[in-house]
Amino acid sequence: MNVPTRHQAPARHVSSSLLGIYLNDHLAGATGGTERARHMTRSYGRTQLAATLEPIATEIAEDRATLLALMDRLDIPARSYKVYASRVAERLGRLKSNGRLVRRSPLSPLLELEALRVGVEGKTALWQTLRDLADHEKRLDPDLLDHLVARARRQQDVLEKLRRRQLGTALLTK
C-alpha cells in the first residue's frame, strides 16, 4: 500500500468509466464533424472554399481515427449508438431552413463554417485534456497529443479565416 508521506500528495488515477463517457461523447462530435466537413467539400464543388476545406476535412477524419485508436489503447469501447445518433443529427441538420426553398442560401457556408469551427474548438479541448491526463495515464503519448493540439489550433485559424471571408457574401449588401 502506497501511503502518502506528509509532503507527498496521494496518487491520482484516471477514472476509466468517466473517461469512457467523455471520449465517446467526443467521438460522437468527431463523427458529426467528419460528416459535415466531407459534405461541405462535396457541396462547394470546385470553389476556392472547397479547395481550402479539403485538407482540413481529411485531417478531421484522421483525427477521428486517432481518437478511435486512443480509445482502443485505453481499452474504451466505442458506443455505436452515439456514433449513429451523431450521423443522423448531422444529416438532419442539413434540412434546416435557410430562407431558400430550392437552392443554397448565402448564409449556408457561413453557418456551416461556424459549426465546424466550434467542433474543432471542442476537439482542441479534448486533445488538451488528454495531454493534461498523460501525466497520470502512461498509455497516452504526450508528444502525439502536443502535435494534435497544435494541428487543431491551426485548423481553427484556417476555419476562422474562411468564416470571415464568407461575411461579405452572406451578410453585406451592395
Side-chain angles (χ1 to χ4, degrees), residues 116-164:
L116 203 55
R117 188 174 185 283
V118 168
V120 172
E121 285 180 38
K123 177 177 63 177
T124 306
L126 161 69
W127 297 141
Q128 187 61 60
T129 296
L130 292 177
R131 176 59 181 94
D132 293 344
L133 291 176
D135 295 336
H136 305 283
E137 175 52 70
K138 299 306 174 199
R139 293 175 289 179
L140 292 171
D141 178 355
D143 293 332
L144 171 64
L145 293 163
D146 286 339
H147 165 74
L148 292 168
V149 168
R151 179 157 100 163
R153 287 185 178 144
R154 183 186 47 74
Q155 291 169 358
Q156 283 178 282
D157 291 343
V158 171
L159 291 169
E160 178 60 14
K161 287 175 186 166
L162 290 172
R163 186 195 71 78
R164 295 185 91 186

mmCIF file of all heavy atoms in Angstrom, residues 116-164:
data_model
loop_
_atom_site.group_PDB
_atom_site.id
_atom_site.type_symbol
_atom_site.label_atom_id
_atom_site.label_comp_id
_atom_site.label_asym_id
_atom_site.label_seq_id
_atom_site.Cartn_x
_atom_site.Cartn_y
_atom_site.Cartn_z
ATOM 1 N N LEU A 116 -18.471 24.050 -37.889
ATOM 2 C CA LEU A 116 -17.241 23.269 -37.986
ATOM 3 C C LEU A 116 -16.163 23.834 -37.061
ATOM 4 O O LEU A 116 -15.451 23.087 -36.381
ATOM 5 C CB LEU A 116 -16.761 23.268 -39.438
ATOM 6 C CG LEU A 116 -15.856 22.140 -39.868
ATOM 7 C CD1 LEU A 116 -16.468 20.775 -39.583
ATOM 8 C CD2 LEU A 116 -15.554 22.273 -41.361
ATOM 9 N N ARG A 117 -16.073 25.158 -36.997
ATOM 10 C CA ARG A 117 -15.075 25.789 -36.131
ATOM 11 C C ARG A 117 -15.348 25.469 -34.664
ATOM 12 O O ARG A 117 -14.432 25.184 -33.900
ATOM 13 C CB ARG A 117 -15.051 27.295 -36.348
ATOM 14 C CG ARG A 117 -13.899 27.955 -35.610
ATOM 15 C CD ARG A 117 -13.790 29.434 -35.954
ATOM 16 N NE ARG A 117 -12.640 30.018 -35.335
ATOM 17 C CZ ARG A 117 -12.556 30.355 -34.047
ATOM 18 N NH1 ARG A 117 -13.555 30.119 -33.233
ATOM 19 N NH2 ARG A 117 -11.462 30.912 -33.555
ATOM 20 N N VAL A 118 -16.603 25.513 -34.260
ATOM 21 C CA VAL A 118 -16.961 25.169 -32.884
ATOM 22 C C VAL A 118 -16.579 23.719 -32.592
ATOM 23 O O VAL A 118 -16.046 23.398 -31.521
ATOM 24 C CB VAL A 118 -18.466 25.416 -32.623
ATOM 25 C CG1 VAL A 118 -18.924 24.793 -31.317
ATOM 26 C CG2 VAL A 118 -18.755 26.914 -32.614
ATOM 27 N N GLY A 119 -16.822 22.835 -33.558
ATOM 28 C CA GLY A 119 -16.427 21.438 -33.385
ATOM 29 C C GLY A 119 -14.933 21.283 -33.215
ATOM 30 O O GLY A 119 -14.464 20.505 -32.377
ATOM 31 N N VAL A 120 -14.154 22.026 -33.990
ATOM 32 C CA VAL A 120 -12.694 21.946 -33.874
ATOM 33 C C VAL A 120 -12.237 22.534 -32.539
ATOM 34 O O VAL A 120 -11.274 22.045 -31.939
ATOM 35 C CB VAL A 120 -12.005 22.616 -35.088
ATOM 36 C CG1 VAL A 120 -10.500 22.724 -34.885
ATOM 37 C CG2 VAL A 120 -12.309 21.828 -36.361
ATOM 38 N N GLU A 121 -12.925 23.555 -32.051
ATOM 39 C CA GLU A 121 -12.599 24.078 -30.713
ATOM 40 C C GLU A 121 -12.804 22.996 -29.653
ATOM 41 O O GLU A 121 -11.989 22.846 -28.739
ATOM 42 C CB GLU A 121 -13.458 25.304 -30.392
ATOM 43 C CG GLU A 121 -13.028 26.550 -31.128
ATOM 44 C CD GLU A 121 -13.894 27.752 -30.790
ATOM 45 O OE1 GLU A 121 -14.300 27.892 -29.617
ATOM 46 O OE2 GLU A 121 -14.152 28.548 -31.704
ATOM 47 N N GLY A 122 -13.895 22.243 -29.781
ATOM 48 C CA GLY A 122 -14.136 21.141 -28.847
ATOM 49 C C GLY A 122 -13.063 20.079 -28.952
ATOM 50 O O GLY A 122 -12.610 19.524 -27.947
ATOM 51 N N LYS A 123 -12.637 19.792 -30.187
ATOM 52 C CA LYS A 123 -11.577 18.803 -30.389
ATOM 53 C C LYS A 123 -10.266 19.290 -29.777
ATOM 54 O O LYS A 123 -9.530 18.502 -29.172
ATOM 55 C CB LYS A 123 -11.407 18.539 -31.882
ATOM 56 C CG LYS A 123 -10.282 17.583 -32.202
ATOM 57 C CD LYS A 123 -10.185 17.283 -33.680
ATOM 58 C CE LYS A 123 -9.878 18.510 -34.484
ATOM 59 N NZ LYS A 123 -9.712 18.223 -35.910
ATOM 60 N N THR A 124 -9.979 20.578 -29.904
ATOM 61 C CA THR A 124 -8.777 21.137 -29.291
ATOM 62 C C THR A 124 -8.814 20.918 -27.783
ATOM 63 O O THR A 124 -7.813 20.510 -27.179
ATOM 64 C CB THR A 124 -8.653 22.636 -29.608
ATOM 65 O OG1 THR A 124 -8.716 22.835 -31.017
ATOM 66 C CG2 THR A 124 -7.353 23.218 -29.068
ATOM 67 N N ALA A 125 -9.967 21.166 -27.185
ATOM 68 C CA ALA A 125 -10.112 20.958 -25.740
ATOM 69 C C ALA A 125 -9.921 19.484 -25.378
ATOM 70 O O ALA A 125 -9.303 19.159 -24.355
ATOM 71 C CB ALA A 125 -11.480 21.461 -25.271
ATOM 72 N N LEU A 126 -10.442 18.587 -26.210
ATOM 73 C CA LEU A 126 -10.251 17.146 -25.986
ATOM 74 C C LEU A 126 -8.775 16.799 -25.957
ATOM 75 O O LEU A 126 -8.286 16.157 -25.023
ATOM 76 C CB LEU A 126 -10.947 16.341 -27.088
ATOM 77 C CG LEU A 126 -10.480 14.887 -27.259
ATOM 78 C CD1 LEU A 126 -10.905 14.039 -26.075
ATOM 79 C CD2 LEU A 126 -10.963 14.318 -28.570
ATOM 80 N N TRP A 127 -8.044 17.201 -27.003
ATOM 81 C CA TRP A 127 -6.615 16.856 -27.065
ATOM 82 C C TRP A 127 -5.865 17.466 -25.883
ATOM 83 O O TRP A 127 -4.979 16.826 -25.312
ATOM 84 C CB TRP A 127 -5.990 17.326 -28.372
ATOM 85 C CG TRP A 127 -6.531 16.720 -29.639
ATOM 86 C CD1 TRP A 127 -6.731 17.380 -30.816
ATOM 87 C CD2 TRP A 127 -6.904 15.353 -29.899
ATOM 88 N NE1 TRP A 127 -7.216 16.514 -31.778
ATOM 89 C CE2 TRP A 127 -7.324 15.259 -31.242
ATOM 90 C CE3 TRP A 127 -6.930 14.196 -29.123
ATOM 91 C CZ2 TRP A 127 -7.759 14.071 -31.821
ATOM 92 C CZ3 TRP A 127 -7.370 13.010 -29.707
ATOM 93 C CH2 TRP A 127 -7.771 12.957 -31.029
ATOM 94 N N GLN A 128 -6.232 18.688 -25.503
ATOM 95 C CA GLN A 128 -5.553 19.324 -24.369
ATOM 96 C C GLN A 128 -5.864 18.593 -23.070
ATOM 97 O O GLN A 128 -4.984 18.398 -22.228
ATOM 98 C CB GLN A 128 -5.946 20.807 -24.257
ATOM 99 C CG GLN A 128 -5.147 21.553 -23.213
ATOM 100 C CD GLN A 128 -3.661 21.562 -23.513
ATOM 101 O OE1 GLN A 128 -3.235 22.057 -24.553
ATOM 102 N NE2 GLN A 128 -2.847 21.016 -22.620
ATOM 103 N N THR A 129 -7.099 18.161 -22.900
ATOM 104 C CA THR A 129 -7.472 17.393 -21.708
ATOM 105 C C THR A 129 -6.676 16.099 -21.645
ATOM 106 O O THR A 129 -6.123 15.741 -20.596
ATOM 107 C CB THR A 129 -8.984 17.097 -21.710
ATOM 108 O OG1 THR A 129 -9.687 18.337 -21.614
ATOM 109 C CG2 THR A 129 -9.387 16.186 -20.560
ATOM 110 N N LEU A 130 -6.606 15.392 -22.765
ATOM 111 C CA LEU A 130 -5.833 14.141 -22.781
ATOM 112 C C LEU A 130 -4.358 14.414 -22.537
ATOM 113 O O LEU A 130 -3.675 13.632 -21.854
ATOM 114 C CB LEU A 130 -6.045 13.399 -24.102
ATOM 115 C CG LEU A 130 -7.444 12.830 -24.303
ATOM 116 C CD1 LEU A 130 -7.569 12.189 -25.680
ATOM 117 C CD2 LEU A 130 -7.813 11.840 -23.210
ATOM 118 N N ARG A 131 -3.856 15.522 -23.058
ATOM 119 C CA ARG A 131 -2.448 15.885 -22.807
ATOM 120 C C ARG A 131 -2.224 16.105 -21.319
ATOM 121 O O ARG A 131 -1.225 15.659 -20.750
ATOM 122 C CB ARG A 131 -2.077 17.137 -23.610
ATOM 123 C CG ARG A 131 -0.669 17.657 -23.353
ATOM 124 C CD ARG A 131 0.359 16.595 -23.687
ATOM 125 N NE ARG A 131 1.703 17.015 -23.441
ATOM 126 C CZ ARG A 131 2.382 16.789 -22.314
ATOM 127 N NH1 ARG A 131 1.807 16.172 -21.294
ATOM 128 N NH2 ARG A 131 3.633 17.185 -22.188
ATOM 129 N N ASP A 132 -3.164 16.776 -20.676
ATOM 130 C CA ASP A 132 -3.059 17.009 -19.232
ATOM 131 C C ASP A 132 -3.115 15.695 -18.451
ATOM 132 O O ASP A 132 -2.465 15.555 -17.420
ATOM 133 C CB ASP A 132 -4.164 17.950 -18.757
ATOM 134 C CG ASP A 132 -4.006 19.365 -19.318
ATOM 135 O OD1 ASP A 132 -2.911 19.710 -19.807
ATOM 136 O OD2 ASP A 132 -4.999 20.121 -19.272
ATOM 137 N N LEU A 133 -3.894 14.741 -18.947
ATOM 138 C CA LEU A 133 -4.008 13.435 -18.283
ATOM 139 C C LEU A 133 -2.818 12.522 -18.540
ATOM 140 O O LEU A 133 -2.644 11.520 -17.849
ATOM 141 C CB LEU A 133 -5.287 12.726 -18.733
ATOM 142 C CG LEU A 133 -6.605 13.328 -18.267
ATOM 143 C CD1 LEU A 133 -7.770 12.567 -18.879
ATOM 144 C CD2 LEU A 133 -6.695 13.349 -16.758
ATOM 145 N N ALA A 134 -2.001 12.858 -19.537
ATOM 146 C CA ALA A 134 -0.876 11.996 -19.892
ATOM 147 C C ALA A 134 0.098 11.816 -18.728
ATOM 148 O O ALA A 134 0.793 10.803 -18.654
ATOM 149 C CB ALA A 134 -0.149 12.541 -21.121
ATOM 150 N N ASP A 135 0.137 12.750 -17.792
ATOM 151 C CA ASP A 135 0.999 12.608 -16.614
ATOM 152 C C ASP A 135 0.498 11.500 -15.687
ATOM 153 O O ASP A 135 1.260 10.962 -14.892
ATOM 154 C CB ASP A 135 1.065 13.927 -15.836
ATOM 155 C CG ASP A 135 1.732 15.030 -16.638
ATOM 156 O OD1 ASP A 135 2.532 14.712 -17.548
ATOM 157 O OD2 ASP A 135 1.452 16.207 -16.359
ATOM 158 N N HIS A 136 -0.796 11.178 -15.778
ATOM 159 C CA HIS A 136 -1.406 10.167 -14.910
ATOM 160 C C HIS A 136 -1.721 8.868 -15.647
ATOM 161 O O HIS A 136 -2.043 7.869 -15.016
ATOM 162 C CB HIS A 136 -2.702 10.713 -14.295
ATOM 163 C CG HIS A 136 -2.516 12.000 -13.564
ATOM 164 N ND1 HIS A 136 -1.965 12.061 -12.309
ATOM 165 C CD2 HIS A 136 -2.784 13.276 -13.936
ATOM 166 C CE1 HIS A 136 -1.914 13.325 -11.930
ATOM 167 N NE2 HIS A 136 -2.399 14.078 -12.889
ATOM 168 N N GLU A 137 -1.684 8.921 -16.970
ATOM 169 C CA GLU A 137 -2.057 7.755 -17.774
ATOM 170 C C GLU A 137 -0.941 7.496 -18.782
ATOM 171 O O GLU A 137 -0.807 8.212 -19.772
ATOM 172 C CB GLU A 137 -3.390 8.006 -18.481
ATOM 173 C CG GLU A 137 -3.841 6.937 -19.428
ATOM 174 C CD GLU A 137 -3.840 5.547 -18.829
ATOM 175 O OE1 GLU A 137 -4.687 5.277 -17.957
ATOM 176 O OE2 GLU A 137 -2.991 4.731 -19.233
ATOM 177 N N LYS A 138 -0.152 6.474 -18.517
ATOM 178 C CA LYS A 138 1.048 6.200 -19.326
ATOM 179 C C LYS A 138 0.732 5.706 -20.737
ATOM 180 O O LYS A 138 1.614 5.706 -21.593
ATOM 181 C CB LYS A 138 1.949 5.195 -18.595
ATOM 182 C CG LYS A 138 2.430 5.704 -17.258
ATOM 183 C CD LYS A 138 3.111 7.046 -17.405
ATOM 184 C CE LYS A 138 3.481 7.633 -16.052
ATOM 185 N NZ LYS A 138 3.723 9.044 -16.093
ATOM 186 N N ARG A 139 -0.505 5.298 -20.999
ATOM 187 C CA ARG A 139 -0.860 4.849 -22.344
ATOM 188 C C ARG A 139 -1.113 6.019 -23.288
ATOM 189 O O ARG A 139 -1.332 5.823 -24.484
ATOM 190 C CB ARG A 139 -2.080 3.931 -22.297
ATOM 191 C CG ARG A 139 -1.799 2.606 -21.584
ATOM 192 C CD ARG A 139 -3.030 1.765 -21.432
ATOM 193 N NE ARG A 139 -3.925 2.380 -20.447
ATOM 194 C CZ ARG A 139 -5.108 1.895 -20.094
ATOM 195 N NH1 ARG A 139 -5.556 0.781 -20.656
ATOM 196 N NH2 ARG A 139 -5.845 2.510 -19.191
ATOM 197 N N LEU A 140 -1.060 7.233 -22.766
ATOM 198 C CA LEU A 140 -1.227 8.420 -23.598
ATOM 199 C C LEU A 140 0.147 8.987 -23.944
ATOM 200 O O LEU A 140 0.990 9.154 -23.061
ATOM 201 C CB LEU A 140 -2.063 9.474 -22.852
ATOM 202 C CG LEU A 140 -3.526 9.110 -22.611
ATOM 203 C CD1 LEU A 140 -4.189 10.121 -21.691
ATOM 204 C CD2 LEU A 140 -4.270 9.009 -23.935
ATOM 205 N N ASP A 141 0.364 9.275 -25.205
ATOM 206 C CA ASP A 141 1.641 9.788 -25.697
ATOM 207 C C ASP A 141 1.614 11.319 -25.696
ATOM 208 O O ASP A 141 0.922 11.923 -26.522
ATOM 209 C CB ASP A 141 1.877 9.248 -27.112
ATOM 210 C CG ASP A 141 3.154 9.750 -27.744
ATOM 211 O OD1 ASP A 141 3.857 10.593 -27.158
ATOM 212 O OD2 ASP A 141 3.460 9.287 -28.856
ATOM 213 N N PRO A 142 2.369 11.959 -24.799
ATOM 214 C CA PRO A 142 2.349 13.427 -24.727
ATOM 215 C C PRO A 142 2.774 14.101 -26.031
ATOM 216 O O PRO A 142 2.198 15.129 -26.406
ATOM 217 C CB PRO A 142 3.336 13.751 -23.608
ATOM 218 C CG PRO A 142 3.521 12.496 -22.844
ATOM 219 C CD PRO A 142 3.235 11.371 -23.780
ATOM 220 N N ASP A 143 3.758 13.540 -26.728
ATOM 221 C CA ASP A 143 4.215 14.154 -27.979
ATOM 222 C C ASP A 143 3.124 14.115 -29.049
ATOM 223 O O ASP A 143 2.917 15.098 -29.762
ATOM 224 C CB ASP A 143 5.477 13.454 -28.487
ATOM 225 C CG ASP A 143 6.673 13.681 -27.568
ATOM 226 O OD1 ASP A 143 6.721 14.724 -26.882
ATOM 227 O OD2 ASP A 143 7.556 12.810 -27.547
ATOM 228 N N LEU A 144 2.436 12.993 -29.161
ATOM 229 C CA LEU A 144 1.327 12.893 -30.107
ATOM 230 C C LEU A 144 0.250 13.915 -29.755
ATOM 231 O O LEU A 144 -0.266 14.613 -30.635
ATOM 232 C CB LEU A 144 0.730 11.484 -30.102
ATOM 233 C CG LEU A 144 -0.577 11.311 -30.890
ATOM 234 C CD1 LEU A 144 -0.358 11.566 -32.373
ATOM 235 C CD2 LEU A 144 -1.179 9.945 -30.639
ATOM 236 N N LEU A 145 -0.079 14.017 -28.495
ATOM 237 C CA LEU A 145 -1.137 14.945 -28.079
ATOM 238 C C LEU A 145 -0.721 16.404 -28.289
ATOM 239 O O LEU A 145 -1.545 17.229 -28.689
ATOM 240 C CB LEU A 145 -1.537 14.668 -26.635
ATOM 241 C CG LEU A 145 -2.228 13.298 -26.486
ATOM 242 C CD1 LEU A 145 -2.249 12.865 -25.034
ATOM 243 C CD2 LEU A 145 -3.616 13.325 -27.087
ATOM 244 N N ASP A 146 0.551 16.728 -28.074
ATOM 245 C CA ASP A 146 1.034 18.082 -28.379
ATOM 246 C C ASP A 146 0.854 18.384 -29.866
ATOM 247 O O ASP A 146 0.421 19.476 -30.240
ATOM 248 C CB ASP A 146 2.514 18.229 -28.003
ATOM 249 C CG ASP A 146 2.744 18.317 -26.501
ATOM 250 O OD1 ASP A 146 1.800 18.658 -25.751
ATOM 251 O OD2 ASP A 146 3.891 18.033 -26.071
ATOM 252 N N HIS A 147 1.176 17.411 -30.707
ATOM 253 C CA HIS A 147 1.002 17.567 -32.154
ATOM 254 C C HIS A 147 -0.478 17.782 -32.500
ATOM 255 O O HIS A 147 -0.812 18.653 -33.317
ATOM 256 C CB HIS A 147 1.550 16.332 -32.876
ATOM 257 C CG HIS A 147 1.115 16.233 -34.296
ATOM 258 N ND1 HIS A 147 1.633 17.034 -35.297
ATOM 259 C CD2 HIS A 147 0.182 15.434 -34.892
ATOM 260 C CE1 HIS A 147 1.035 16.735 -36.444
ATOM 261 N NE2 HIS A 147 0.158 15.771 -36.224
ATOM 262 N N LEU A 148 -1.351 16.996 -31.875
ATOM 263 C CA LEU A 148 -2.786 17.103 -32.173
ATOM 264 C C LEU A 148 -3.358 18.441 -31.714
ATOM 265 O O LEU A 148 -4.207 19.023 -32.402
ATOM 266 C CB LEU A 148 -3.536 15.935 -31.533
ATOM 267 C CG LEU A 148 -3.240 14.568 -32.148
ATOM 268 C CD1 LEU A 148 -3.803 13.449 -31.269
ATOM 269 C CD2 LEU A 148 -3.769 14.472 -33.574
ATOM 270 N N VAL A 149 -2.903 18.943 -30.577
ATOM 271 C CA VAL A 149 -3.344 20.263 -30.104
ATOM 272 C C VAL A 149 -2.914 21.332 -31.100
ATOM 273 O O VAL A 149 -3.715 22.190 -31.501
ATOM 274 C CB VAL A 149 -2.790 20.568 -28.690
ATOM 275 C CG1 VAL A 149 -2.986 22.033 -28.329
ATOM 276 C CG2 VAL A 149 -3.441 19.684 -27.645
ATOM 277 N N ALA A 150 -1.659 21.292 -31.524
ATOM 278 C CA ALA A 150 -1.155 22.295 -32.475
ATOM 279 C C ALA A 150 -1.908 22.221 -33.804
ATOM 280 O O ALA A 150 -2.260 23.249 -34.389
ATOM 281 C CB ALA A 150 0.347 22.091 -32.692
ATOM 282 N N ARG A 151 -2.175 21.015 -34.276
ATOM 283 C CA ARG A 151 -2.890 20.853 -35.540
ATOM 284 C C ARG A 151 -4.315 21.383 -35.429
ATOM 285 O O ARG A 151 -4.806 22.071 -36.331
ATOM 286 C CB ARG A 151 -2.894 19.378 -35.947
ATOM 287 C CG ARG A 151 -3.634 19.125 -37.244
ATOM 288 C CD ARG A 151 -3.180 17.873 -37.896
ATOM 289 N NE ARG A 151 -4.083 16.763 -37.658
ATOM 290 C CZ ARG A 151 -4.062 15.661 -38.394
ATOM 291 N NH1 ARG A 151 -3.183 15.513 -39.368
ATOM 292 N NH2 ARG A 151 -4.895 14.684 -38.141
ATOM 293 N N ALA A 152 -4.975 21.094 -34.323
ATOM 294 C CA ALA A 152 -6.349 21.587 -34.133
ATOM 295 C C ALA A 152 -6.372 23.118 -34.075
ATOM 296 O O ALA A 152 -7.283 23.745 -34.634
ATOM 297 C CB ALA A 152 -6.952 20.984 -32.875
ATOM 298 N N ARG A 153 -5.382 23.693 -33.436
ATOM 299 C CA ARG A 153 -5.329 25.175 -33.392
ATOM 300 C C ARG A 153 -5.115 25.760 -34.784
ATOM 301 O O ARG A 153 -5.704 26.789 -35.126
ATOM 302 C CB ARG A 153 -4.248 25.624 -32.420
ATOM 303 C CG ARG A 153 -4.662 25.387 -30.991
ATOM 304 C CD ARG A 153 -3.666 25.920 -29.996
ATOM 305 N NE ARG A 153 -4.172 25.700 -28.645
ATOM 306 C CZ ARG A 153 -3.416 25.397 -27.613
ATOM 307 N NH1 ARG A 153 -2.104 25.313 -27.746
ATOM 308 N NH2 ARG A 153 -3.951 25.208 -26.428
ATOM 309 N N ARG A 154 -4.279 25.110 -35.589
ATOM 310 C CA ARG A 154 -4.078 25.562 -36.962
ATOM 311 C C ARG A 154 -5.384 25.440 -37.747
ATOM 312 O O ARG A 154 -5.755 26.328 -38.513
ATOM 313 C CB ARG A 154 -2.958 24.770 -37.629
ATOM 314 C CG ARG A 154 -2.661 25.249 -39.055
ATOM 315 C CD ARG A 154 -1.650 24.382 -39.771
ATOM 316 N NE ARG A 154 -1.880 22.956 -39.660
ATOM 317 C CZ ARG A 154 -2.849 22.284 -40.301
ATOM 318 N NH1 ARG A 154 -3.708 22.924 -41.074
ATOM 319 N NH2 ARG A 154 -2.970 20.975 -40.158
ATOM 320 N N GLN A 155 -6.106 24.331 -37.549
ATOM 321 C CA GLN A 155 -7.394 24.150 -38.222
ATOM 322 C C GLN A 155 -8.362 25.268 -37.827
ATOM 323 O O GLN A 155 -9.078 25.804 -38.691
ATOM 324 C CB GLN A 155 -7.995 22.786 -37.870
ATOM 325 C CG GLN A 155 -7.252 21.615 -38.454
ATOM 326 C CD GLN A 155 -7.715 20.290 -37.865
ATOM 327 O OE1 GLN A 155 -8.577 20.239 -36.986
ATOM 328 N NE2 GLN A 155 -7.120 19.199 -38.338
ATOM 329 N N GLN A 156 -8.390 25.620 -36.553
ATOM 330 C CA GLN A 156 -9.250 26.709 -36.101
ATOM 331 C C GLN A 156 -8.906 27.998 -36.832
ATOM 332 O O GLN A 156 -9.808 28.738 -37.250
ATOM 333 C CB GLN A 156 -9.083 26.945 -34.593
ATOM 334 C CG GLN A 156 -9.777 25.945 -33.726
ATOM 335 C CD GLN A 156 -9.502 26.245 -32.270
ATOM 336 O OE1 GLN A 156 -8.421 25.924 -31.775
ATOM 337 N NE2 GLN A 156 -10.457 26.840 -31.603
ATOM 338 N N ASP A 157 -7.612 28.284 -36.967
ATOM 339 C CA ASP A 157 -7.194 29.509 -37.649
ATOM 340 C C ASP A 157 -7.660 29.530 -39.103
ATOM 341 O O ASP A 157 -8.165 30.537 -39.586
ATOM 342 C CB ASP A 157 -5.665 29.662 -37.586
ATOM 343 C CG ASP A 157 -5.152 29.957 -36.192
ATOM 344 O OD1 ASP A 157 -5.948 30.366 -35.322
ATOM 345 O OD2 ASP A 157 -3.930 29.760 -35.974
ATOM 346 N N VAL A 158 -7.499 28.423 -39.801
ATOM 347 C CA VAL A 158 -7.926 28.348 -41.206
ATOM 348 C C VAL A 158 -9.442 28.520 -41.298
ATOM 349 O O VAL A 158 -9.942 29.283 -42.133
ATOM 350 C CB VAL A 158 -7.486 27.019 -41.852
ATOM 351 C CG1 VAL A 158 -8.118 26.832 -43.230
ATOM 352 C CG2 VAL A 158 -5.969 26.946 -41.944
ATOM 353 N N LEU A 159 -10.180 27.825 -40.442
ATOM 354 C CA LEU A 159 -11.644 27.933 -40.479
ATOM 355 C C LEU A 159 -12.112 29.343 -40.142
ATOM 356 O O LEU A 159 -13.084 29.829 -40.729
ATOM 357 C CB LEU A 159 -12.273 26.903 -39.532
ATOM 358 C CG LEU A 159 -12.119 25.451 -39.981
ATOM 359 C CD1 LEU A 159 -12.530 24.499 -38.865
ATOM 360 C CD2 LEU A 159 -12.922 25.186 -41.249
ATOM 361 N N GLU A 160 -11.428 30.010 -39.228
ATOM 362 C CA GLU A 160 -11.799 31.383 -38.888
ATOM 363 C C GLU A 160 -11.565 32.316 -40.073
ATOM 364 O O GLU A 160 -12.394 33.184 -40.363
ATOM 365 C CB GLU A 160 -11.033 31.864 -37.659
ATOM 366 C CG GLU A 160 -11.319 33.293 -37.267
ATOM 367 C CD GLU A 160 -12.774 33.602 -36.933
ATOM 368 O OE1 GLU A 160 -13.593 32.665 -36.745
ATOM 369 O OE2 GLU A 160 -13.118 34.797 -36.863
ATOM 370 N N LYS A 161 -10.462 32.139 -40.788
ATOM 371 C CA LYS A 161 -10.206 32.966 -41.977
ATOM 372 C C LYS A 161 -11.275 32.721 -43.042
ATOM 373 O O LYS A 161 -11.777 33.668 -43.659
ATOM 374 C CB LYS A 161 -8.817 32.674 -42.537
ATOM 375 C CG LYS A 161 -7.715 33.245 -41.686
ATOM 376 C CD LYS A 161 -6.346 32.844 -42.191
ATOM 377 C CE LYS A 161 -5.288 33.329 -41.205
ATOM 378 N NZ LYS A 161 -3.979 32.732 -41.420
ATOM 379 N N LEU A 162 -11.629 31.463 -43.243
ATOM 380 C CA LEU A 162 -12.692 31.149 -44.207
ATOM 381 C C LEU A 162 -14.025 31.753 -43.771
ATOM 382 O O LEU A 162 -14.776 32.299 -44.595
ATOM 383 C CB LEU A 162 -12.840 29.637 -44.366
ATOM 384 C CG LEU A 162 -11.705 28.916 -45.077
ATOM 385 C CD1 LEU A 162 -11.900 27.402 -44.989
ATOM 386 C CD2 LEU A 162 -11.611 29.371 -46.525
ATOM 387 N N ARG A 163 -14.324 31.654 -42.495
ATOM 388 C CA ARG A 163 -15.578 32.200 -41.964
ATOM 389 C C ARG A 163 -15.646 33.710 -42.185
ATOM 390 O O ARG A 163 -16.659 34.234 -42.647
ATOM 391 C CB ARG A 163 -15.687 31.889 -40.467
ATOM 392 C CG ARG A 163 -17.026 32.294 -39.856
ATOM 393 C CD ARG A 163 -16.954 32.299 -38.342
ATOM 394 N NE ARG A 163 -16.146 33.398 -37.833
ATOM 395 C CZ ARG A 163 -16.558 34.668 -37.734
ATOM 396 N NH1 ARG A 163 -17.768 35.012 -38.117
ATOM 397 N NH2 ARG A 163 -15.762 35.591 -37.248
ATOM 398 N N ARG A 164 -14.575 34.394 -41.919
ATOM 399 C CA ARG A 164 -14.571 35.855 -42.077
ATOM 400 C C ARG A 164 -14.716 36.260 -43.537
ATOM 401 O O ARG A 164 -15.345 37.276 -43.840
ATOM 402 C CB ARG A 164 -13.314 36.435 -41.448
ATOM 403 C CG ARG A 164 -13.340 36.208 -39.924
ATOM 404 C CD ARG A 164 -12.217 36.842 -39.244
ATOM 405 N NE ARG A 164 -12.702 38.171 -38.886
ATOM 406 C CZ ARG A 164 -11.930 39.097 -38.358
ATOM 407 N NH1 ARG A 164 -10.666 38.860 -38.135
ATOM 408 N NH2 ARG A 164 -12.429 40.271 -38.037
#
